[in-house]
């Protein structure tokens, strides 16, 4: 199983773990590949990276996104109409990872770590596009493109063997939910590599006014089972919420609130800058 | 529930395995949020069917509430018109609410109540499963919401009204084509959100484990009764048994007892009729087994109508109950093993069969069931005039009056 013996050093070299650094809350930014078109989504990727995203979660457009809310589902529909699927998404990632944005400013913040390299990319895809493409072929294409890993919301650990045996060198992030039982936290943690994705609430992705009570306890339970970093997503939509999450988790995933701005890469950059500042402030106030 | 027809010798047919796989098909491919609920359901279902008290309560409702056993009717005028020696019709259209769907919804709602869930949700295509769920929910005092595509709500407005009368909330689903697949997705999403207090009553032999096995369990009464009813009336096994396939619940309910009771060489030819819509050579059909390829949709691995990028395609059929891009995983397994033969029937053939049964026997079948009836002339040509065929008439056609009128039936 790739990454299962990950001590944090091998993952830090090439994997998603590189996005998680001590003294800094990782900002995981979700963007939909090919939305509203290829060029704009590429510009949005560069804008997010330049504004301080630590990990990019790149969505693969799919026709039945059962875990996603209306913003991401509609963006997927637009991207699919533009001919976007897994192959096109991998190609987009290859281009993004191959050519860092020119003149990308160093990240704002008081951690002093600097941030000029391109953040690692995880593809967020449903299982069937992977299967249709062919699991070994998909893994090869991702490795060649420089993609660091995948998040597959409809592939629980029990169903992941066929993927994991071909996914050497790629991190596979599994999701833990508020409904997960303690024994499942252990299974999810041991199957995951890169980081563990904590779903903040039941339901689909999308912006929510308030975060679920008991989130801190949930993150603690996952932490107790995992040696990997824990990132929280689903429903995080404002800098204030992101800061709240940064106080209890290693990373914050922001999706729908970014995709809603994705038609305008400049506003993606501005929004990611606000999130970055909020996270850095939250961590600074902690210490 | 015991299986009186099950030979104690080594099984000729057994599945699924503990993970819900029928051969390579089935399984559990869903977001983590609902996995614990599926585990809870799997355990509760296993416990319930091992409990004689549950079997007794379900058996009593099947008999007194649903009106079972349903007749096995010998349709001589239909046999003559189609060139067969005998045709037997399994009259699921005579159940309470008029379709086989009620067997499953009463079973699942009993299980919901046993698990302490006060609220049930369901998806529906033709509306039959929605009405059957609303009915069982009313019977057992459960709160009920039914997800239905807007196109289906238009095609089946009477069933929408019935569900509301029965006290259910009907939630319109406008995404996609506004048909069954969209309703399943919406119901799954809702379940992910309300999983803690809600039981999802799935209407066909589809979905993640344990649904395909559970729906089969509650529908197998169709085939069990048929086997008993044939005894004494027929000196030999019938030559063929036919059922229509959308997700495949009435078909698996009919076929499974035959698969269990008889070894492969002694079984009748089992035939599943799926929707060819405007023709399988067009892109307007619902023939997942005939034209699809294996993939994952709605939490399970099975034959599926999909594009090159793995997106599910919109299925089409004149019948709202058959326009589903996937099919129950057990049917995919049965196809690959050669245990069941699957053929596709066009809208036109189904309408012809609808008209024929109506005029020869005075029985108005559902358009779904008409797809099974449309196999009769084909089977007569293949098996000859001495053949005996059983057809599962899965539901009655009252709900389809507007559609057959639009199609111009009865005008001339």
């Amino acid at each position: 199983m790739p990454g299962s013996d990950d001590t944090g050093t091998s993952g830090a070299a090439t994997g998603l773990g590189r996005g998680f650094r001590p003294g800094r809350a990782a900002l995981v930014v979700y963007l939909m590949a090919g939305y509203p078109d290829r060029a704009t989504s590429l510009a949005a990727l560069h804008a997010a990276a330049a504004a301080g995203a630590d990990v990019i979660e790149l969505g693969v457009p799919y026709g039945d996104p059962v875990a996603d809310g209306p913003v991401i589902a509609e963006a997927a529909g637009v991207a699919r109409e533009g001919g976007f699927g897994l192959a096109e998404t991998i190609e987009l990632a290859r281009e993004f990872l191959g050519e860092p944005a020119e003149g990308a400013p160093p990240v704002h913040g008081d951690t002093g770590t600097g941030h000029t390299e391109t953040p690692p990319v995880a593809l967020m895809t449903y299982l069937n596009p992977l299967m249709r493409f062919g699991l070994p072929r998909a893994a090869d294409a991702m490795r060649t493109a420089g993609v660091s890993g995948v998040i597959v919301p409809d592939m629980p650990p029990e169903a992941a063997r066929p993927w994991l045996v071909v996914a050497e060198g790629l991190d596979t992030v599994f999701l833990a939910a508020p409904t997960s039982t303690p024994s499942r936290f252990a299974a999810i943690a041991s199957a995951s590599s890169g980081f563990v994705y904590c779903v903040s609430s039941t339901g689909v992705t999308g912006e929510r006014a308030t975060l679920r009570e008991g989130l801190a306890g949930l993150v603690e339970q996952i932490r107790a089972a995992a040696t990997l970093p824990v990132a929280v997503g689903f429903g995080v939509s404002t800098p204030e919420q992101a800061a709240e999450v940064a106080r209890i988790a290693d990373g914050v995933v922001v999706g729908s609130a970014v995709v809603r701005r994705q038609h305008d890469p400049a506003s993606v950059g501005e929004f990611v800058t606000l999130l970055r500042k909020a996270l850095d402030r939250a961590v600074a106030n902690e210490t | 529930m015991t299986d009186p027809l099950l030979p104690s010798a080594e099984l000729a047919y057994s599945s699924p395995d503990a993970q819900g796989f029928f051969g390579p098909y089935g399984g559990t491919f869903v977001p983590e949020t609902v996995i614990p609920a599926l585990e809870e359901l799997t355990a509760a279902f296993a416990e319930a069917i091992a409990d004689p008290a549950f079997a007794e309560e379900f058996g009593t409702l099947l008999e007194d509430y649903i009106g079972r056993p349903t007749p096995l009717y010998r349709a001589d005028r239909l046999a003559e018109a189609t060139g067969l020696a005998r045709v037997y019709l399994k009259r699921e259209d005579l159940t309470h609410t008029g379709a086989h769907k009620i067997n499953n919804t009463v079973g699942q709602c009993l299980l919901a109540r046993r698990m302490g869930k006060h609220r049930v949700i369901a998806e529906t295509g033709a509306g039959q499963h929605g009405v059957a769920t609303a009915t069982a929910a009313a019977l057992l005092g459960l709160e009920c919401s039914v997800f239905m595509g807007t196109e289906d709500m238009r095609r089946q407005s009477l069933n929408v009204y019935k569900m509301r009368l029965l006290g259910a909330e009907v939630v319109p689903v406008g995404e996609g084509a506004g048909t069954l697949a969209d309703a399943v997705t919406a119901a799954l999403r809702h379940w992910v959100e309300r999983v803690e207090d809600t039981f999802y009553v799935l209407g066909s032999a589809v979905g993640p484990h344990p649904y395909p096995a559970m729906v089969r369990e509650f529908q197998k009464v169709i085939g069990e009764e048929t086997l008993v009813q044939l005894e004494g009336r027929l000196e030999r096994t019938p030559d063929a048994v036919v059922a229509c396939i959308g997700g495949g619940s009435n078909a698996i309910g009919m076929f499974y007892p035959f698969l269990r009771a008889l070894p492969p060489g002694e079984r009748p030819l089992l035939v599943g009729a799926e929707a060819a819509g405007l023709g399988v050579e067009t892109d307007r059909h619902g023939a997942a087994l005939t034209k699809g390829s294996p993939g994952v949709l709605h939490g399970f691995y099975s034959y599926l109508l999909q594009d090159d990028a793995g997106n599910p395609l919109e299925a089409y059929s004149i019948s709202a109950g058959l326009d589903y891009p996937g099919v129950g995983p057990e049917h995919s397994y049965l196809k690959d093993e050669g245990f069941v033969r699957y053929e596709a029937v066009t809208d036109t053939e189904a309408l012809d069969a609808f008209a024929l049964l109506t005029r020869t026997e005075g029985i108005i079948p559902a358009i779904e069931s008409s797809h099974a009836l449309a196999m009769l002339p084909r089977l007569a040509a293949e098996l000859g005039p001495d053949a005996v065929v059983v057809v599962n008439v899965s539901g009655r056609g009252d709900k389809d009056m507007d559609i057959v009128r639009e199609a111009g039936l009865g005008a001339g």
Side-chain angles (χ1 to χ4, degrees):
Chain A
M1 203 177 291
S4 58
D5 58 350
D6 212 338
T7 57
T9 46
S10 64
T14 59
L16 297 171
R18 190 159 52 92
F20 293 79
R21 281 170 291 176
R24 178 179 168 99
L27 176 56
V28 183
V29 172
Y30 178 103
L31 290 160
M32 174 60 71
Y35 172 76
D37 53 55
R38 186 179 197 281
T40 310
S41 64
L42 183 60
L45 282 166
H46 284 305
D54 297 300
V55 175
I56 297 287
E57 196 186 326
L58 186 57
V60 176
Y62 177 58
D64 188 52
V66 74
D68 284 303
V71 171
I72 289 176
E74 278 164 32
V78 171
R80 286 207 305 125
E81 274 173 33
F84 250 74
L86 179 59
E88 293 75 17
T89 302
I90 293 173
E91 173 52 27
L92 180 72
R94 189 199 57 75
E95 186 174 342
F96 167 66
L97 291 163
E99 40 178 78
E102 275 181 32
V107 73
H108 182 279
D110 40 22
T111 56
T113 52
H115 194 272
T116 49
E117 57 181 302
T118 308
V121 170
L123 297 192
M124 193 292 206
T125 180
Y126 288 87
L127 184 54
N128 203 47
L130 277 183
M131 294 180 76
R132 184 71 172 171
F133 199 83
L135 299 181
R137 187 177 154 229
D140 277 343
M142 287 181 209
R143 280 186 292 254
T144 305
V147 168
S148 296
V150 297
I151 303 166
V152 189
D154 58 347
M155 183 179 75
E158 294 83 350
R161 234 190 95 71
W163 166 252
L164 292 175
V165 296
V166 300
E168 201 184 337
L170 295 169
D171 286 331
T172 303
V173 175
F174 291 93
L175 292 84
T179 49
S180 300
T181 53
S183 68
R184 293 199 58 79
F185 286 131
I188 290 159
S190 74
S192 290
S193 45
F195 65 95
V196 178
Y197 193 132
C198 170
V199 174
S200 70
S201 56
T202 58
V204 294
T205 60
E207 299 151 78
R208 288 176 176 76
T210 56
L211 295 171
R212 183 184 174 105
E213 282 193 30
L215 182 59
L218 176 62
V219 172
E220 277 318 303
Q221 278 186 282
I222 300 168
R223 276 236 181 88
T227 52
L228 296 168
V230 177
V232 172
F234 282 39
V236 183
S237 54
T238 64
E240 292 71 31
Q241 287 175 331
E244 195 184 320
V245 169
R247 286 183 203 106
I248 55 174
D250 306 300
V252 182
V253 187
V254 184
S256 297
V258 178
V259 173
R260 205 151 54 72
R261 296 168 165 86
Q262 200 180 318
H263 59 277
D264 177 11
S267 81
V268 168
E270 285 159 23
F271 184 59
V272 172
T273 300
L274 289 178
L275 292 168
R276 178 77 269 158
K277 282 182 185 166
L279 294 194
D280 290 344
R281 263 200 308 274
V283 171
N285 292 345
E286 285 286 286
T287 49
Chain B
M1 267 167 277
T2 56
D3 204 337
L5 302 157
L6 185 62
S8 57
E10 195 183 324
L11 294 178
Y13 178 82
S14 81
S15 52
D17 68 13
Q19 277 71 50
F21 282 99
F22 302 83
Y25 302 109
T28 304
F29 301 94
V30 292
E32 170 64 22
T33 308
V34 296
I35 295 236
L38 290 170
E39 288 179 343
E40 181 192 7
L41 178 60
T42 302
F45 169 60
E47 188 198 39
I49 60 168
D51 180 358
F54 183 83
E56 194 187 330
E57 189 171 18
F58 184 45
T60 302
L61 288 174
L62 285 176
E63 203 173 308
D64 299 340
Y65 185 72
I66 297 176
R68 305 203 70 93
T70 57
L72 186 71
Y73 166 69
R74 184 172 147 177
D76 285 339
R77 275 171 49 77
L78 178 66
E80 195 188 338
T82 50
L84 289 156
R86 287 192 205 172
V87 172
Y88 288 101
L89 303 179
K90 182 59 175 166
R91 298 292 309 275
E92 291 302 297
D93 59 311
L94 293 178
T95 54
H96 177 48
T97 72
H100 73 288
K101 296 287 186 188
I102 189 77
N103 303 324
N104 173 51
T105 60
V106 167
Q108 287 197 39
C109 286
L110 274 176
L111 187 57
R113 197 182 61 178
R114 185 185 168 97
M115 292 171 72
K117 309 266 179 180
H118 300 290
R119 185 165 178 273
V120 296
I121 58 168
E123 82 298 335
T124 197
Q128 295 304 92
H129 174 58
V131 169
T133 304
T135 301
L139 170 71
L140 297 170
L142 302 166
E143 203 185 307
C144 178
S145 298
V146 179
F147 293 79
M148 188 170 189
T150 46
E151 169 63 13
D152 286 341
M153 287 179 73
R154 185 190 68 77
R155 288 194 287 188
Q156 303 290 348
S157 57
L158 195 60
N159 273 342
V160 174
Y161 184 62
K162 271 192 206 167
M163 286 184 265
R164 288 178 174 149
L165 276 180
L166 287 160
E169 173 200 18
V170 180
V171 184
V173 180
E175 284 90 13
T179 58
L180 179 58
D182 311 298
V184 175
T185 299
L188 274 173
R189 280 187 180 163
H190 180 85
W191 197 38
V192 170
E193 204 149 343
R194 289 285 300 268
V195 68
E196 282 148 26
D197 69 345
T198 298
F199 186 106
Y200 182 10
V201 179
L202 197 46
S204 194
V206 300
H209 182 61
Y211 281 103
M214 182 162 69
V215 172
R216 181 183 76 186
E217 179 68 25
F218 294 139
Q219 292 292 1
K220 72 179 185 187
V221 65
I222 301 171
E224 287 177 351
E225 285 176 6
T226 303
L227 278 166
V228 170
Q229 289 165 326
L230 282 169
E231 236 170 73
R233 290 211 235 172
L234 204 60
E235 326 57 59
R236 59 189 180 94
T237 316
D239 297 285
V241 177
V242 190
C244 66
I245 311 258
S249 70
N250 88 80
I252 206 64
M254 176 58 99
F255 296 161
Y256 179 63
F258 282 86
L259 291 161
R260 290 297 291 269
L262 304 169
E266 295 170 29
R267 287 175 199 151
L269 174 63
L270 302 174
V271 182
E274 52 178 4
L278 302 182
V280 292
E281 70 286 356
T282 72
D283 61 358
R284 302 273 289 156
H285 61 78
L289 288 161
T290 306
K291 296 288 284 186
S293 55
V296 168
L297 178 68
H298 296 147
F300 64 105
Y301 181 64
S302 194
Y303 279 88
L304 171 67
L305 299 175
Q306 57 182 323
D307 67 15
D308 290 341
N311 297 293
L313 293 171
E314 278 173 16
Y316 162 81
S317 167
I318 191 172
S319 118
L322 303 185
D323 64 358
Y324 183 65
V327 65
E330 192 165 9
H331 289 293
S332 291
Y333 171 67
L334 293 170
K335 172 192 160 80
D336 283 4
E337 292 295 315
F339 289 159
V340 176
R341 197 167 84 194
Y342 296 91
E343 296 194 24
V345 169
T346 64
D347 288 357
T348 309
E349 290 173 291
L351 285 167
D352 288 347
F354 176 99
L356 185 66
L357 182 66
T358 304
R359 298 263 170 104
T360 56
E361 299 287 352
I363 296 170
I364 299 179
I367 295 194
E368 289 78 7
S369 319
S370 302
H371 286 69
L373 292 159
M375 286 305 304
L376 290 174
R378 290 193 205 174
L379 289 169
E382 178 183 345
L383 303 172
D386 296 330
V388 176
V389 180
V390 177
V391 182
N392 193 27
V393 181
S394 55
R396 68 180 183 219
D398 307 43
K399 70 185 176 57
D400 296 317
M401 288 303 104
D402 289 344
I403 291 162
V404 298
R405 190 162 50 197
E406 272 176 43
L409 239 57

Coordinates of all heavy atoms in Angstrom, one line a residue, chain B residues 17-52:
Chain B
D17 N -21.7 -12.5 -2.0 CA -20.8 -12.8 -0.9 C -21.0 -11.8 0.2 O -21.8 -10.9 0.1 CB -19.3 -12.9 -1.4 CG -18.8 -11.5 -1.9 OD1 -19.4 -10.5 -1.6 OD2 -17.8 -11.5 -2.5
A18 N -20.1 -11.9 1.2 CA -20.3 -11.0 2.4 C -20.2 -9.5 2.1 O -20.7 -8.7 2.8 CB -19.3 -11.4 3.5
Q19 N -19.4 -9.2 1.1 CA -19.3 -7.8 0.7 C -20.3 -7.3 -0.3 O -20.2 -6.2 -0.8 CB -17.9 -7.5 0.1 CG -16.8 -7.3 1.1 CD -16.4 -8.6 1.9 OE1 -16.2 -9.6 1.3 NE2 -16.5 -8.5 3.2
G20 N -21.2 -8.2 -0.6 CA -22.3 -7.8 -1.6 C -21.9 -8.0 -3.0 O -22.5 -7.3 -3.9
F21 N -21.0 -8.8 -3.3 CA -20.6 -9.0 -4.7 C -21.3 -10.3 -5.3 O -21.2 -11.3 -4.7 CB -19.1 -9.1 -4.9 CG -18.4 -7.8 -4.8 CD1 -17.8 -7.4 -3.7 CD2 -18.4 -7.0 -5.9 CE1 -17.2 -6.1 -3.6 CE2 -17.7 -5.7 -5.9 CZ -17.1 -5.3 -4.7
F22 N -21.9 -10.1 -6.5 CA -22.4 -11.2 -7.3 C -21.3 -11.4 -8.4 O -21.3 -10.6 -9.4 CB -23.7 -10.8 -7.9 CG -24.8 -10.4 -7.0 CD1 -24.9 -9.1 -6.4 CD2 -25.7 -11.4 -6.6 CE1 -25.9 -8.8 -5.5 CE2 -26.7 -11.0 -5.7 CZ -26.8 -9.7 -5.1
G23 N -20.4 -12.3 -8.2 CA -19.3 -12.4 -9.1 C -18.5 -11.1 -9.0 O -18.3 -10.6 -7.8
P24 N -18.2 -10.4 -10.0 CA -17.5 -9.1 -9.9 C -18.4 -7.9 -9.6 O -18.0 -6.8 -9.4 CB -16.8 -8.9 -11.2 CG -17.7 -9.7 -12.2 CD -18.3 -10.8 -11.4
Y25 N -19.7 -8.1 -9.7 CA -20.7 -7.0 -9.7 C -21.3 -6.7 -8.3 O -21.4 -7.7 -7.5 CB -21.8 -7.3 -10.7 CG -21.3 -7.5 -12.1 CD1 -21.4 -8.8 -12.7 CD2 -20.8 -6.4 -12.8 CE1 -20.9 -9.0 -14.0 CE2 -20.3 -6.6 -14.1 CZ -20.3 -7.9 -14.7 OH -19.8 -8.1 -15.9
G26 N -21.7 -5.5 -8.1 CA -22.3 -5.1 -6.8 C -21.3 -4.3 -6.0 O -20.7 -3.4 -6.5
G27 N -21.2 -4.7 -4.7 CA -20.3 -4.0 -3.8 C -20.9 -2.7 -3.2 O -22.1 -2.5 -3.2
T28 N -20.0 -1.9 -2.6 CA -20.4 -0.7 -1.9 C -19.4 0.4 -2.3 O -18.3 0.5 -1.8 CB -20.3 -0.9 -0.4 OG1 -21.1 -2.1 0.0 CG2 -20.8 0.3 0.4
F29 N -19.9 1.3 -3.2 CA -19.1 2.4 -3.7 C -19.8 3.7 -3.4 O -20.5 4.2 -4.3 CB -18.8 2.2 -5.2 CG -18.0 1.0 -5.5 CD1 -18.8 -0.2 -5.9 CD2 -16.7 0.9 -5.4 CE1 -18.1 -1.4 -6.2 CE2 -16.0 -0.3 -5.7 CZ -16.7 -1.4 -6.1
V30 N -19.7 4.1 -2.1 CA -20.5 5.3 -1.7 C -19.6 6.2 -0.8 O -18.6 5.7 -0.3 CB -21.7 4.9 -0.9 CG1 -22.8 4.2 -1.8 CG2 -21.4 4.0 0.3
P31 N -20.0 7.4 -0.6 CA -19.3 8.3 0.3 C -19.3 7.7 1.7 O -20.2 7.0 2.1 CB -20.0 9.6 0.3 CG -20.7 9.6 -1.1 CD -21.0 8.2 -1.3
E32 N -18.2 8.0 2.4 CA -18.0 7.4 3.8 C -19.2 7.7 4.7 O -19.5 6.9 5.5 CB -16.7 8.1 4.4 CG -16.4 7.8 5.8 CD -16.2 6.4 6.2 OE1 -15.8 5.6 5.3 OE2 -16.4 6.0 7.4
T33 N -19.8 8.9 4.5 CA -20.9 9.3 5.4 C -21.9 8.2 5.5 O -22.5 8.0 6.6 CB -21.5 10.6 4.9 OG1 -20.4 11.6 4.7 CG2 -22.5 11.2 5.9
V34 N -22.3 7.5 4.5 CA -23.4 6.6 4.5 C -22.9 5.1 4.8 O -23.7 4.3 5.1 CB -24.3 6.6 3.3 CG1 -24.9 7.9 3.1 CG2 -23.5 6.2 2.0
I35 N -21.6 4.9 4.8 CA -21.1 3.5 5.0 C -21.5 3.0 6.4 O -22.1 1.9 6.5 CB -19.6 3.5 4.9 CG1 -19.2 3.8 3.5 CG2 -19.0 2.1 5.4 CD1 -18.4 2.8 2.7
P36 N -21.4 3.8 7.5 CA -21.9 3.2 8.7 C -23.4 2.9 8.7 O -23.8 1.9 9.3 CB -21.6 4.3 9.7 CG -20.4 5.1 9.1 CD -20.7 5.0 7.7
A37 N -24.2 3.7 8.0 CA -25.6 3.4 7.9 C -25.8 2.1 7.1 O -26.7 1.3 7.5 CB -26.3 4.6 7.2
L38 N -25.0 1.9 6.1 CA -25.2 0.6 5.3 C -24.8 -0.6 6.2 O -25.4 -1.7 6.1 CB -24.4 0.7 4.0 CG -24.9 1.6 3.0 CD1 -23.9 1.8 1.9 CD2 -26.2 1.2 2.4
E39 N -23.7 -0.4 7.0 CA -23.3 -1.5 7.9 C -24.4 -1.8 8.9 O -24.7 -2.9 9.2 CB -22.0 -1.1 8.6 CG -20.8 -1.1 7.7 CD -19.5 -0.7 8.4 OE1 -19.5 -0.1 9.5 OE2 -18.4 -1.0 7.8
E40 N -25.0 -0.7 9.4 CA -26.1 -0.9 10.4 C -27.3 -1.6 9.7 O -27.9 -2.5 10.3 CB -26.5 0.5 10.9 CG -27.7 0.5 11.9 CD -28.3 1.9 12.1 OE1 -27.9 2.8 11.4 OE2 -29.1 2.0 13.0
L41 N -27.6 -1.2 8.5 CA -28.7 -1.8 7.7 C -28.4 -3.3 7.5 O -29.3 -4.1 7.6 CB -28.9 -1.0 6.4 CG -30.0 -1.6 5.5 CD1 -31.3 -1.5 6.2 CD2 -30.0 -0.7 4.2
T42 N -27.2 -3.6 7.1 CA -26.8 -5.0 6.8 C -27.0 -5.9 8.0 O -27.6 -6.9 7.9 CB -25.3 -5.1 6.3 OG1 -25.2 -4.2 5.1 CG2 -24.9 -6.5 5.9
A43 N -26.6 -5.4 9.1 CA -26.7 -6.1 10.4 C -28.2 -6.3 10.7 O -28.7 -7.4 11.1 CB -26.0 -5.5 11.5
A44 N -29.0 -5.2 10.6 CA -30.4 -5.2 11.0 C -31.2 -6.2 10.1 O -32.1 -6.9 10.5 CB -31.0 -3.8 11.0
F45 N -30.8 -6.1 8.8 CA -31.5 -7.0 7.8 C -31.2 -8.4 8.1 O -32.2 -9.3 8.1 CB -31.1 -6.6 6.4 CG -31.5 -7.5 5.3 CD1 -32.8 -7.8 5.1 CD2 -30.5 -8.2 4.5 CE1 -33.2 -8.7 4.1 CE2 -30.9 -9.1 3.5 CZ -32.3 -9.3 3.3
A46 N -30.0 -8.8 8.4 CA -29.6 -10.2 8.6 C -30.3 -10.7 9.9 O -30.9 -11.8 9.9 CB -28.1 -10.3 8.8
E47 N -30.4 -9.8 10.9 CA -31.1 -10.2 12.1 C -32.6 -10.3 11.9 O -33.2 -11.3 12.4 CB -30.8 -9.0 13.2 CG -31.2 -9.3 14.6 CD -31.3 -8.1 15.4 OE1 -31.8 -7.0 14.9 OE2 -30.9 -8.1 16.5
A48 N -33.2 -9.4 11.1 CA -34.6 -9.5 10.9 C -35.0 -10.8 10.2 O -36.0 -11.4 10.5 CB -35.1 -8.2 10.1
I49 N -34.3 -11.1 9.1 CA -34.7 -12.3 8.3 C -34.4 -13.6 9.1 O -35.0 -14.6 8.7 CB -34.2 -12.3 6.9 CG1 -32.7 -12.4 6.9 CG2 -34.7 -11.2 6.1 CD1 -32.1 -12.7 5.5
A50 N -33.6 -13.5 10.1 CA -33.4 -14.7 10.9 C -34.5 -14.8 12.1 O -34.5 -15.8 12.8 CB -32.0 -14.7 11.5
D51 N -35.3 -13.8 12.2 CA -36.2 -13.7 13.3 C -37.6 -14.2 12.8 O -38.2 -13.5 12.0 CB -36.3 -12.3 13.8 CG -37.3 -12.1 15.0 OD1 -37.9 -13.1 15.4 OD2 -37.4 -11.0 15.5
P52 N -38.1 -15.3 13.4 CA -39.4 -15.8 13.0 C -40.6 -14.8 13.2 O -41.5 -14.7 12.4 CB -39.6 -17.0 13.8 CG -38.3 -17.4 14.4 CD -37.5 -16.1 14.4

